[in-house]
């Protein structure tokens, strides 16, 4: 019985290392100070800025999936607790305003993209 348990543990360790990531985990990204971002909204109690997404070199490049994500950076200088309601968010561009995708819509666009297909096939090949 002990040999069966030892064999099972060795098999699990082998499978776990074969499927593990070959690259180091991404490092935390530095957060921008909203007051330093051109076009930021600066109020007495809040500072709000949208920072362009830059591909960090690992994972999926969302811009290749047809998306243009931004990081919303909020600085709280007051006593309140900020909340960003997605239903009230608008993206403003020279040609007009855009509504954000819902999480489900964004996931569908990413999974259906060619970039995701390439990434998934590469991951399967490494596994």
């Amino acid at each position: 019985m002990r040999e069966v348990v030892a064999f099972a543990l060795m098999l699990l360790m082998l499978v776990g290392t074969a499927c593990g990531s070959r690259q180091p985990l991404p490092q935390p990204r530095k957060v921008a100070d909203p007051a330093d971002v051109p076009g930021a909204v600066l109020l007495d109690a809040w500072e709000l800025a949208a920072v362009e997404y830059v591909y960090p070199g690992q994972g999926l490049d969302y811009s290749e999936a047809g998306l243009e994500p931004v990081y919303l950076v909020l600085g709280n200088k007051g006593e309140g607790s900020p909340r960003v309601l997605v239903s009230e968010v608008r993206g403003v561009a020279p040609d007009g305003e855009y509504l954000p995708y819902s999480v489900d819509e964004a996931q569908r666009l990413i999974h259906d993209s060619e970039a995701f297909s390439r990434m998934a096939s590469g991951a399967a090949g490494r596994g």
Side-chain angles (χ1 to χ4, degrees):
M1 182 66 169
R2 183 179 290 173
E3 293 168 349
V4 172
V5 172
F7 178 74
L9 285 175
M10 288 189 335
L11 184 61
L12 283 173
M13 287 175 30
L14 178 63
V15 169
T17 57
C19 295
S21 174
R22 300 282 186 235
Q23 298 176 346
L25 294 174
Q27 296 299 309
R29 292 177 290 281
K30 182 179 178 189
V31 177
D33 182 0
D36 295 337
V37 177
V41 177
L42 307 175
L43 304 172
D44 290 338
W46 316 102
E47 296 175 342
L48 178 67
V51 180
E52 181 182 5
Y53 164 81
V54 177
Y55 177 57
Q58 295 177 327
L60 179 64
D61 183 354
Y62 295 107
S63 61
E64 284 190 22
L67 302 175
E68 295 183 28
V70 295
Y71 298 109
L72 291 181
V73 185
L74 184 68
N76 184 359
K77 302 186 303 183
E79 297 293 322
S81 297
R83 287 187 355 182
V84 176
L85 302 175
V86 175
S87 62
E88 296 181 6
V89 172
R90 302 286 185 273
V92 180
D95 61 342
E97 290 188 3
Y98 293 87
L99 296 172
Y101 289 114
S102 71
V103 173
D104 290 338
E105 289 171 325
Q107 285 177 341
R108 190 185 78 244
L109 286 170
I110 291 167
H111 285 279
D112 292 347
S113 73
E114 185 177 328
F116 182 79
S117 297
R118 286 193 313 266
M119 185 191 73
S121 67
R126 285 191 306 270

